[in-house]
Amino acid sequence: MITLGVIGTGYWGPNLVRNFVNLPGARVTRVSDLSRERLQHMEKLYPFLETTQDYRVLMDDPAIDAIVIATPVSSHAKLAREALSAGKHVFVEKPLSSSAEDSLQLVRLAREKSLVGMVGHTFIYSPAVLKIKELLDSGELGEVYYVSTTRVNLGLFQDDINVVWDLAPHDLSIFTFLLDAEPERVQGVGHSYIQPGIEDVAFLAYTFPGGRLANIHVSWLDPNKIRRTTVVGSKKMLVYDDTSNVEKIRVYDKGVDVHRHYDTFGEFQLAYRFGDIHIPKLDDGEPLKVETAHFLECIRQGVPCRSGLEHGHHVVCALEAACLSMREGGRSVEIEYNLSRAF
Amino acid sequence: MITLGVIGTGYWGPNLVRNFVNLPGARVTRVSDLSRERLQHMEKLYPFLETTQDYRVLMDDPAIDAIVIATPVSSHAKLAREALSAGKHVFVEKPLSSSAEDSLQLVRLAREKSLVGMVGHTFIYSPAVLKIKELLDSGELGEVYYVSTTRVNLGLFQDDINVVWDLAPHDLSIFTFLLDAEPERVQGVGHSYIQPGIEDVAFLAYTFPGGRLANIHVSWLDPNKIRRTTVVGSKKMLVYDDTSNVEKIRVYDKGVDVHRHYDTFGEFQLAYRFGDIHIPKLDDGEPLKVETAHFLECIRQGVPCRSGLEHGHHVVCALEAACLSMREGGRSVEIEYNLSRAF
Amino acid sequence: MITLGVIGTGYWGPNLVRNFVNLPGARVTRVSDLSRERLQHMEKLYPFLETTQDYRVLMDDPAIDAIVIATPVSSHAKLAREALSAGKHVFVEKPLSSSAEDSLQLVRLAREKSLVGMVGHTFIYSPAVLKIKELLDSGELGEVYYVSTTRVNLGLFQDDINVVWDLAPHDLSIFTFLLDAEPERVQGVGHSYIQPGIEDVAFLAYTFPGGRLANIHVSWLDPNKIRRTTVVGSKKMLVYDDTSNVEKIRVYDKGVDVHRHYDTFGEFQLAYRFGDIHIPKLDDGEPLKVETAHFLECIRQGVPCRSGLEHGHHVVCALEAACLSMREGGRSVEIEYNLSRAF
Amino acid sequence: MITLGVIGTGYWGPNLVRNFVNLPGARVTRVSDLSRERLQHMEKLYPFLETTQDYRVLMDDPAIDAIVIATPVSSHAKLAREALSAGKHVFVEKPLSSSAEDSLQLVRLAREKSLVGMVGHTFIYSPAVLKIKELLDSGELGEVYYVSTTRVNLGLFQDDINVVWDLAPHDLSIFTFLLDAEPERVQGVGHSYIQPGIEDVAFLAYTFPGGRLANIHVSWLDPNKIRRTTVVGSKKMLVYDDTSNVEKIRVYDKGVDVHRHYDTFGEFQLAYRFGDIHIPKLDDGEPLKVETAHFLECIRQGVPCRSGLEHGHHVVCALEAACLSMREGGRSVEIEYNLSRAF
């Protein structure tokens, strides 16, 4: 039985509590939140919970094996550091931290302490992303040329982080997972329309090893919610629309063949293939359930964590580099991970 | 009666011939094309046409008042120059030319000769764009913050021009028309996946006077055709989906209000308004018919041309600057129009 | 404080428990189910519940004011009768019973005992149906000519009731509510494809007072889920698509005007109006929450129940008549309500 | 070279002229119409046409091999009869006639004269319907249980025919073609909302040999245009949406398996299979081009006509029976074809 304490029961925390409560082999004993009202709400839902406004009660409780952190981003690093220092495994909501310096330190600390650290990058536990990964790994799409995401909506504007830190972590986690690699550099263009100094629209162009480009368009200024990822392969193309209930993934049997004929007329030819569309059935299942179960499994069996602290650190580095590029006029910024410094 | 000759009867030329043939007060007497087969096809459709493989026959025909040019982009400037020099009005397909130097020269020449020059930027004659213009001018959307277009499809790859020159002229013409202004600078990021040296994916971020940003995402590498423009205003937002048959424009009664309360808690508040959606009925009517009729009207009555050579020149300058930015690592490039040099 | 007991915690019962548990002024003390496993699940979620496999424990508990029945249809009448006889208010899932004879008896019994009886016709508590009612009552649609519903999906085939009893109760409740009237007669056509004797596809044509027609197409044999209701009025038309997340209702500013010119040519003219489309914003809120709160209000304040036993009886009579018509070759069947016999 | 004359150049006639003009091996020499204006329009488009307001000029012209009839339905039979009597092949727009008595006579006449008669049931020449036929014939869908069509829009109300004669000919032609059989009987329910005596909404339930049901819902009173056909087979299901530009056909890998277990608990089990969706690529090509070319081929090579007069007669008989059922309270009406009387 793994015993958990949860810090932060605002927007996302209750989902984490619900999932951990329902998992066999786990129990949640304590939750903390600054808001007395939120705590009363949790007590009503789960009468067995002990609640407190002081998160340190959880850190000091020797019965607690793991701490779940679902607080605002700015407090992630501090809380995770304290939890790891107290000898507890940590599950931190995404993004792992608000600076690469912090996330690198967490990677190092977890290694030193041999504790499990996991970041709540839920998408890479979702049936849709797992199906895309399967299609890529099977070679059905051929060589991947290009990945592009549009992730826009009328935003929940935040006053501490910009739209890149709010929305792009999803795509960076997904791309890193799908391409089995981390981006090498990035050019970003952003703009602040509503709150001076806090970008609400951004276009990011990441380059992955092998010259694969990954574009990300994020915005808090679109009246329509769009969650659309395109994967262009040499054999097939794929569109993943996360707002669709039943047809999230469409595989297009279309592709581009490059044929060059250097004949007397120097004619250039390019063949198009247009074909059928295939909409694969996806497994049901709540990604968060899979994700929380994976956290328990990592603790119990020591399996490598799919969204471990390194993964979270990669995302944070990529976000930081994008913002640097945006502020320096869109220049191409090399992304430094410095993971060697974690040892 | 205005007499026209049409050069180029390949992809788009036949539509121009059909429209000019059906307009009262106009007649098409001659068409030229390099392909004998295309000319035979035109003869079958319009037995009254005189056809030739030598476009100079049209230039030399004193009965012809205006020359319509629907040839590949690279020949636009040369042919338009010859037509103007021969004292004929010109209608040139978009984009006006492949360099700003050339388009500037055409502006100058038409002015000197007091001839009408028009560029085939069809979209600004379409019911949808005219409705958006009406909504903007009426103040219904409030102040425009931001305009964004996604114009992607599985491309008709071309070996002489890149995706920016192929697709972005539409958006630049539309934005310039809607915002009553020309862009001041641009940052572009592009990539060549299929043909070395010819970008097939690009993101362009234009800045218009007043700091209004206009984003353009063009791609030949998307299996789904998307033609989607978002206009974000202070009062309402609007989405224009040109692939929809009957619901091209949606006006969202959603907006963003900025309220800042510097109270003791320094709390920041931002109000969202979500509301109804309105889908206005659009007029029927082929944009090309309106456009061709406008050309005749400009010749007959000397009214200013909505898509005159200056308009076409603005678009060419903006395209050229975007490509420069793309090739110089995304740096912000000032757009020079040099129209003073046209006099 | 109103104390409730819930019989049946299978498919829909847990939603009722959750809503009643969360309502101020109510408490659920006991639940019963034949399945020991379901009861254990409820105990885990709500540790304060007393559970039993014998529903009579609830009937006999003097502390219980109202009984909620969420069992299979065939047991509704028997359980509701026992509850009313035991002096308890009842909330019965839809349809109220499997025969008009039974539902009539329940109406009579509740009246005699002066107890509240309510049927779980949730749709008439939903924001979408309430908005349609508002549009109709305001006269915005003009006179209603015709209502039509398509309610099809790949069915959860049931072996005790046919598709009419499974799906049409929703539409009959909605139509009765919207038109403020009960249907007078019905013609039905149905077919059994999968299970002999149990119709899985049916078309029902109801006539409401004033000659208004209401068509219902229900099917368990459609691979796509469709929930689409059309309301055709003399001024405007409306489509209600319940599968849409954010655009459930569309009001079409289209209508039909009948102009008859008996001139010398005897020409018949009919004018069409085509216009804008309007998508009204709907309130949020779970219909079941509104519905369960209404039940408490009916008990406490004696307000008339929007989906009381009479309403439920109307629906049962209309269902029964449709099935009779289907089995008698589609003949037009008069619907008898016999409510005078309820006194 | 086959020489054609076309009677009627109103709504649909010009499309027929255009197609026959462009087909190799055919020429259109004369057209007739009551409207002088329509004839002038045709002269402008095709200067080589001889036009007349008197259709008998065409009948009397010995150079004309075939007559194309695109006039209002009520005149079809009379004109076709005259053409056949004059020894000319006929192409008649759908429906073939307004009574089964008439269409039977035309079948007989064409046989006696050994002339080709064809009805303009265009849909069975369309890539979508041909693809469905291919899927059915290959056995991919299994045994067909049920076919259902919704064909509704805001109607072009007509004062001579009702919505059944206007819209249902398409579905009857398609179903007859797909199922390789003619319907045996029909129950119909209809209503007249706008024009007394002319039904504008109807539901028709046809039974085909083998007990296969085919439902047709037609309406002139729906603000949304819907053209949706569902084919439910034992192995797969299919939805054909003719309003979709690029995804007309979706094959659902869903089906229904009937397993009956008469075990001690008498439990009934039904298995559902849910699976992938497949959207086949369809050929391009205008159905009318294929159809008109087929007419020439039938004349030249004597191949059997896919939409010959018998096919057209089947459709007319099925329409007539549906209207009879509608007017007799929805009783089941046997459909008599009497083709033996055609010999």
Side-chain angles (χ1 to χ4, degrees):
Chain A
M1 181 64 64
I2 293 169
T3 303
L4 301 109
V6 177
I7 305 178
T9 59
Y11 167 60
W12 192 246
N15 288 322
L16 291 163
V17 172
R18 173 173 54 81
N19 272 280
F20 280 118
V21 162
N22 285 315
L23 279 177
R27 65 175 174 190
V28 181
T29 54
R30 293 183 188 274
V31 301
S32 79
D33 200 286
L34 295 178
S35 153
R36 196 58 235 146
E37 194 192 332
R38 295 301 308 160
L39 292 176
Q40 280 161 355
H41 180 69
M42 297 308 289
E43 284 164 9
K44 181 157 188 187
L45 288 173
Y46 307 101
F48 51 82
L49 283 181
E50 288 190 69
T51 65
T52 171
Q53 286 176 287
D54 181 1
Y55 74 87
R56 280 164 302 192
V57 174
L58 281 65
M59 300 290 184
D60 296 342
D61 181 348
I64 287 180
D65 304 304
I67 298 278
V68 176
I69 299 167
T71 58
V73 178
S74 55
S75 59
H76 284 183
K78 175 186 186 308
L79 292 170
R81 209 153 42 220
E82 290 191 38
L84 290 168
S85 302
K88 299 183 189 310
H89 306 291
V90 286
F91 179 105
V92 188
E93 257 321 301
K94 62 97 209 160
L96 173 53
S97 68
S98 49
S99 84
E101 198 55 44
D102 281 342
S103 55
L104 185 63
Q105 191 192 4
L106 292 172
V107 171
R108 198 186 305 128
L109 190 58
R111 288 193 182 172
E112 283 168 12
K113 297 270 190 175
S114 295
L115 290 165
V116 171
M118 179 160 158
V119 186
H121 285 296
T122 316
F123 273 101
I124 63 175
Y125 299 91
S126 71
V129 173
L130 291 173
K131 170 60 79 174
I132 298 172
K133 179 70 170 160
E134 182 191 316
L135 289 166
L136 288 176
D137 289 353
S138 74
E140 189 174 331
L141 272 76
E143 189 191 340
V144 172
Y145 289 146
Y146 163 64
V147 186
S148 173
T149 286
T150 301
R151 189 176 294 273
V152 303
N153 53 261
L154 197 60
L156 299 170
F157 292 88
Q158 308 196 16
D159 59 345
D160 56 341
I161 59 170
N162 65 13
V163 72
V164 170
W165 284 86
D166 182 34
L167 297 179
H170 296 306
D171 303 301
L172 287 164
S173 170
I174 293 170
F175 291 171
T176 302
F177 174 65
L178 290 179
L179 301 178
D180 270 332
E182 293 82 50
E184 294 174 337
R185 76 198 93 82
V186 59
Q187 279 180 274
V189 181
H191 236 78
S192 309
Y193 289 100
I194 308 301
Q195 304 172 51
I198 299 182
E199 287 86 354
D200 34 37
V201 176
F203 287 85
L204 314 177
Y206 285 93
T207 310
F208 277 75
R212 292 167 293 176
L213 194 72
N215 288 310
I216 299 175
H217 175 195
V218 283
S219 170
W220 283 332
L221 277 179
D222 205 295
N224 246 15
K225 184 177 180 178
I226 302 179
R227 297 285 183 266
R228 188 175 182 277
T229 300
T230 304
V231 180
V232 174
S234 55
K235 291 190 189 157
K236 293 190 179 176
M237 303 185 180
L238 175 155
V239 174
Y240 159 37
D241 177 358
D242 199 55
T243 64
S244 170
N245 290 329
V246 288
E247 306 189 355
K248 284 189 190 293
I249 296 178
R250 304 175 145 240
V251 182
Y252 291 79
D253 192 4
K254 295 181 180 176
V256 183
D257 288 327
V258 184
H259 296 297
R260 286 191 188 75
H261 297 268
Y262 295 105
D263 58 18
T264 47
F265 297 96
E267 193 176 44
F268 178 88
Q269 279 197 333
L270 203 57
Y272 309 91
R273 287 177 285 101
F274 290 84
D276 295 2
I277 301 172
H278 190 75
I279 302 175
K281 178 176 165 6
L282 299 180
D283 293 334
D284 292 332
E286 188 183 5
L288 196 51
K289 184 174 174 185
V290 180
E291 187 189 24
T292 48
H294 181 57
F295 181 55
L296 299 185
E297 187 189 35
C298 294
I299 293 173
R300 274 197 217 103
Q301 289 149 45
V303 299
C305 196
R306 193 188 300 165
S307 59
L309 296 183
E310 287 85 350
H311 182 86
H313 173 64
H314 291 143
V315 170
V316 168
C317 293
L319 294 168
E320 209 171 66
C323 291
L324 180 64
S325 173
M326 291 199 307
R327 275 135 202 204
E328 297 192 351
R331 78 164 175 88
S332 182
V333 170
E334 196 105 359
I335 307 173
E336 303 284 348
Y337 296 104
N338 292 315
L339 270 170
S340 57
R341 283 173 44 204
F343 301 94
Chain B
M1 181 65 64
I2 294 170
T3 303
L4 300 111
V6 177
I7 305 177
T9 59
Y11 168 60
W12 192 246
N15 288 321
L16 290 164
V17 172
R18 173 172 55 81
N19 271 280
F20 280 117
V21 161
N22 285 314
L23 278 177
R27 64 174 175 190
V28 181
T29 53
R30 293 184 188 274
V31 300
S32 79
D33 201 286
L34 295 178
S35 154
R36 195 59 236 148
E37 194 191 333
R38 295 303 305 161
L39 292 176
Q40 280 160 352
H41 180 69
M42 297 309 289
E43 284 163 10
K44 179 154 192 190
L45 287 173
Y46 308 101
F48 51 81
L49 283 181
E50 290 189 68
T51 65
T52 170
Q53 285 177 287
D54 181 2
Y55 73 87
R56 279 164 303 190
V57 174
L58 282 65
M59 300 289 184
D60 295 342
D61 181 347
I64 287 180
D65 304 305
I67 298 278
V68 177
I69 299 167
T71 57
V73 178
S74 55
S75 59
H76 284 184
K78 174 186 186 310
L79 292 169
R81 210 154 43 220
E82 289 191 37
L84 290 169
S85 301
K88 300 185 188 310
H89 306 292
V90 286
F91 179 105
V92 188
E93 258 320 301
K94 62 95 207 160
L96 172 54
S97 68
S98 50
S99 85
E101 199 55 45
D102 281 341
S103 55
L104 186 63
Q105 192 193 3
L106 292 172
V107 171
R108 198 186 307 129
L109 190 57
R111 287 193 183 172
E112 283 168 13
K113 297 270 189 175
S114 293
L115 290 166
V116 171
M118 180 159 156
V119 186
H121 285 297
T122 316
F123 272 102
I124 64 176
Y125 299 91
S126 71
V129 172
L130 292 173
K131 170 60 81 175
I132 298 173
K133 179 70 170 161
E134 181 191 317
L135 289 166
L136 288 176
D137 288 355
S138 74
E140 189 174 332
L141 272 75
E143 188 191 339
V144 172
Y145 288 145
Y146 163 61
V147 187
S148 173
T149 287
T150 301
R151 189 175 295 274
V152 303
N153 53 261
L154 196 59
L156 298 170
F157 292 89
Q158 308 196 16
D159 59 347
D160 56 341
I161 58 171
N162 66 13
V163 71
V164 170
W165 283 86
D166 182 35
L167 297 179
H170 296 306
D171 302 302
L172 287 164
S173 170
I174 293 170
F175 291 170
T176 302
F177 174 67
L178 290 179
L179 300 178
D180 270 331
E182 292 82 50
E184 294 176 336
R185 79 199 89 82
V186 60
Q187 280 181 274
V189 181
H191 236 78
S192 309
Y193 288 101
I194 307 302
Q195 304 172 51
I198 299 182
E199 287 86 354
D200 34 37
V201 175
F203 286 86
L204 313 177
Y206 285 93
T207 309
F208 277 75
R212 291 167 294 177
L213 193 72
N215 287 311
I216 299 175
H217 175 195
V218 284
S219 170
W220 283 333
L221 278 179
D222 206 296
N224 247 14
K225 184 178 180 177
I226 302 180
R227 299 286 183 263
R228 189 174 181 278
T229 301
T230 304
V231 181
V232 174
S234 54
K235 291 190 189 156
K236 292 189 180 177
M237 303 183 179
L238 176 154
V239 174
Y240 159 36
D241 177 358
D242 199 56
T243 63
S244 170
N245 290 329
V246 288
E247 306 190 354
K248 284 189 189 293
I249 296 178
R250 304 175 144 239
V251 183
Y252 291 78
D253 193 5
K254 295 182 180 176
V256 184
D257 289 326
V258 184
H259 296 295
R260 286 189 188 76
H261 298 269
Y262 296 105
D263 60 18
T264 47
F265 296 97
E267 193 175 44
F268 177 89
Q269 278 197 334
L270 204 58
Y272 309 90
R273 286 177 285 104
F274 291 84
D276 295 2
I277 301 171
H278 189 75
I279 302 175
K281 177 178 166 3
L282 299 181
D283 293 332
D284 291 334
E286 189 183 6
L288 197 50
K289 185 175 174 185
V290 180
E291 186 189 25
T292 48
H294 181 57
F295 181 54
L296 298 185
E297 188 189 34
C298 293
I299 293 174
R300 275 198 216 101
Q301 290 149 45
V303 299
C305 195
R306 194 189 298 164
S307 59
L309 296 183
E310 288 86 350
H311 182 85
H313 173 64
H314 291 143
V315 170
V316 169
C317 293
L319 294 168
E320 207 170 68
C323 290
L324 180 63
S325 173
M326 290 199 306
R327 274 134 202 206
E328 297 192 353
R331 77 165 175 89
S332 182
V333 169
E334 197 105 359
I335 307 174
E336 303 285 349
Y337 296 104
N338 293 315
L339 271 170
S340 57
R341 283 175 43 205
F343 302 95
Chain C
M1 180 63 65
I2 294 170
T3 303
L4 300 110
V6 177
I7 306 178
T9 58
Y11 167 60
W12 192 246
N15 288 322
L16 290 164
V17 172
R18 173 173 53 82
N19 272 279
F20 280 118
V21 161
N22 284 315
L23 280 176
R27 64 174 176 191
V28 181
T29 54
R30 292 185 188 274
V31 300
S32 80
D33 200 286
L34 295 178
S35 154
R36 195 59 235 145
E37 194 191 333
R38 294 303 305 161
L39 292 175
Q40 280 161 353
H41 180 69
M42 296 309 288
E43 284 163 9
K44 178 154 191 191
L45 287 173
Y46 308 101
F48 52 81
L49 283 181
E50 290 190 68
T51 65
T52 171
Q53 285 175 287
D54 181 1
Y55 73 88
R56 278 164 303 190
V57 174
L58 282 64
M59 301 290 183
D60 296 341
D61 182 347
I64 286 181
D65 305 304
I67 298 278
V68 177
I69 299 167
T71 58
V73 178
S74 55
S75 59
H76 284 183
K78 175 188 187 308
L79 292 169
R81 210 153 43 220
E82 291 192 38
L84 290 168
S85 301
K88 299 184 188 311
H89 307 291
V90 286
F91 179 105
V92 188
E93 257 321 301
K94 63 95 206 160
L96 173 53
S97 69
S98 50
S99 85
E101 200 54 46
D102 281 342
S103 55
L104 185 63
Q105 192 192 3
L106 292 173
V107 171
R108 197 186 306 129
L109 191 57
R111 287 192 184 172
E112 283 168 11
K113 298 269 189 175
S114 295
L115 289 166
V116 171
M118 180 161 157
V119 186
H121 285 296
T122 316
F123 272 102
I124 63 176
Y125 300 90
S126 72
V129 173
L130 292 172
K131 169 60 80 175
I132 298 173
K133 179 71 170 159
E134 182 192 316
L135 290 166
L136 288 176
D137 289 355
S138 74
E140 189 174 332
L141 273 75
E143 190 191 338
V144 172
Y145 289 145
Y146 163 63
V147 187
S148 174
T149 287
T150 301
R151 189 176 293 274
V152 303
N153 53 261
L154 197 60
L156 298 170
F157 293 88
Q158 308 197 15
D159 59 345
D160 57 342
I161 59 171
N162 65 13
V163 72
V164 170
W165 284 87
D166 182 35
L167 297 179
H170 296 306
D171 302 302
L172 287 164
S173 170
I174 293 170
F175 291 170
T176 302
F177 174 67
L178 290 179
L179 301 178
D180 269 331
E182 293 81 49
E184 294 175 336
R185 78 198 90 84
V186 61
Q187 279 181 274
V189 181
H191 236 79
S192 308
Y193 288 101
I194 307 302
Q195 304 172 50
I198 299 181
E199 288 86 354
D200 34 36
V201 175
F203 286 87
L204 313 178
Y206 285 93
T207 310
F208 277 75
R212 292 167 292 177
L213 195 71
N215 288 311
I216 299 176
H217 176 196
V218 284
S219 171
W220 283 332
L221 277 179
D222 206 295
N224 246 15
K225 185 177 181 178
I226 302 181
R227 297 285 183 264
R228 189 174 181 276
T229 300
T230 304
V231 181
V232 174
S234 55
K235 291 190 190 156
K236 293 189 179 175
M237 302 183 180
L238 176 153
V239 174
Y240 159 36
D241 176 359
D242 199 55
T243 64
S244 170
N245 289 330
V246 288
E247 306 189 354
K248 284 189 189 294
I249 295 178
R250 303 175 146 240
V251 183
Y252 291 78
D253 192 4
K254 295 181 179 176
V256 183
D257 289 327
V258 184
H259 296 296
R260 286 189 189 76
H261 297 269
Y262 296 105
D263 59 19
T264 46
F265 296 96
E267 193 176 45
F268 178 89
Q269 280 198 332
L270 203 59
Y272 309 90
R273 288 177 285 102
F274 291 84
D276 295 3
I277 301 171
H278 190 75
I279 302 176
K281 178 178 165 3
L282 300 180
D283 293 334
D284 292 332
E286 189 183 5
L288 197 49
K289 184 175 175 185
V290 180
E291 186 189 27
T292 48
H294 181 57
F295 181 56
L296 299 185
E297 188 190 33
C298 294
I299 293 173
R300 275 198 217 103
Q301 289 150 43
V303 299
C305 196
R306 193 187 299 165
S307 58
L309 296 183
E310 288 85 350
H311 182 85
H313 173 63
H314 291 144
V315 170
V316 169
C317 293
L319 294 169
E320 209 171 66
C323 291
L324 182 62
S325 174
M326 290 199 308
R327 274 134 200 205
E328 298 192 353
R331 77 165 174 88
S332 180
V333 170
E334 197 104 359
I335 307 174
E336 304 284 347
Y337 296 104
N338 292 315
L339 270 170
S340 59
R341 284 173 44 203
F343 301 96
Chain D
M1 180 65 64
I2 294 169
T3 304
L4 300 111
V6 177
I7 305 177
T9 58
Y11 168 60
W12 192 247
N15 288 321
L16 290 164
V17 173
R18 174 173 54 82
N19 271 279
F20 279 117
V21 161
N22 284 314
L23 278 177
R27 64 174 174 190
V28 182
T29 53
R30 294 185 188 273
V31 300
S32 80
D33 200 287
L34 295 177
S35 154
R36 195 61 235 145
E37 194 191 331
R38 296 302 306 159
L39 292 177
Q40 280 161 354
H41 181 69
M42 296 309 289
E43 284 163 11
K44 179 155 190 189
L45 288 173
Y46 307 101
F48 52 81
L49 283 182
E50 289 189 69
T51 66
T52 172
Q53 285 176 288
D54 181 1
Y55 74 87
R56 279 164 303 192
V57 174
L58 281 64
M59 300 290 183
D60 296 342
D61 181 348
I64 287 181
D65 304 305
I67 297 280
V68 176
I69 299 167
T71 59
V73 177
S74 54
S75 58
H76 284 184
K78 176 187 185 307
L79 292 170
R81 211 153 41 220
E82 291 191 38
L84 290 169
S85 301
K88 299 183 189 312
H89 306 292
V90 287
F91 179 105
V92 188
E93 256 320 303
K94 63 95 205 161
L96 173 53
S97 69
S98 50
S99 85
E101 200 53 46
D102 282 342
S103 55
L104 186 63
Q105 193 193 1
L106 292 172
V107 170
R108 199 186 306 128
L109 191 57
R111 287 193 184 174
E112 284 168 13
K113 297 270 189 177
S114 293
L115 289 166
V116 171
M118 179 159 157
V119 187
H121 285 297
T122 317
F123 272 102
I124 63 175
Y125 300 91
S126 70
V129 172
L130 292 173
K131 170 59 80 175
I132 298 173
K133 179 70 170 160
E134 181 191 318
L135 289 166
L136 288 176
D137 289 353
S138 74
E140 188 174 333
L141 272 75
E143 189 191 339
V144 172
Y145 288 145
Y146 162 62
V147 187
S148 173
T149 287
T150 301
R151 188 175 295 273
V152 304
N153 53 260
L154 196 59
L156 299 170
F157 292 89
Q158 309 197 16
D159 59 347
D160 56 341
I161 58 171
N162 66 12
V163 71
V164 169
W165 283 87
D166 182 36
L167 297 179
H170 296 307
D171 303 301
L172 287 164
S173 170
I174 293 170
F175 290 171
T176 303
F177 174 66
L178 290 180
L179 301 178
D180 270 331
E182 292 81 50
E184 295 176 337
R185 77 198 93 81
V186 60
Q187 279 181 274
V189 181
H191 236 78
S192 309
Y193 288 100
I194 306 301
Q195 305 172 49
I198 299 182
E199 287 87 354
D200 34 36
V201 175
F203 286 86
L204 312 178
Y206 285 94
T207 311
F208 277 76
R212 292 167 293 175
L213 194 72
N215 288 311
I216 299 176
H217 175 196
V218 284
S219 170
W220 284 333
L221 278 178
D222 206 297
N224 247 14
K225 185 177 180 179
I226 302 180
R227 298 286 183 263
R228 189 175 180 277
T229 300
T230 304
V231 181
V232 174
S234 55
K235 291 191 190 154
K236 293 190 179 175
M237 303 184 179
L238 176 154
V239 174
Y240 159 36
D241 177 358
D242 198 56
T243 63
S244 170
N245 290 329
V246 288
E247 305 189 356
K248 285 190 190 292
I249 295 178
R250 304 176 145 239
V251 183
Y252 291 78
D253 192 4
K254 294 181 180 177
V256 184
D257 289 327
V258 184
H259 296 297
R260 287 189 187 75
H261 298 269
Y262 297 105
D263 59 18
T264 46
F265 297 96
E267 193 176 44
F268 178 89
Q269 279 198 333
L270 204 58
Y272 310 90
R273 287 176 284 102
F274 291 84
D276 295 2
I277 301 171
H278 190 75
I279 301 175
K281 176 176 167 4
L282 299 180
D283 293 334
D284 293 333
E286 190 183 5
L288 197 50
K289 185 175 174 185
V290 180
E291 188 189 25
T292 47
H294 181 56
F295 181 54
L296 299 185
E297 187 190 34
C298 293
I299 293 173
R300 274 198 216 101
Q301 290 149 44
V303 298
C305 195
R306 194 189 297 165
S307 59
L309 296 183
E310 289 85 350
H311 182 86
H313 173 64
H314 291 143
V315 170
V316 168
C317 294
L319 294 168
E320 208 170 66
C323 290
L324 181 63
S325 174
M326 290 199 306
R327 274 133 202 207
E328 297 192 353
R331 77 165 175 88
S332 181
V333 170
E334 196 104 359
I335 307 174
E336 303 285 349
Y337 296 104
N338 293 314
L339 271 171
S340 57
R341 285 173 43 204
F343 302 95

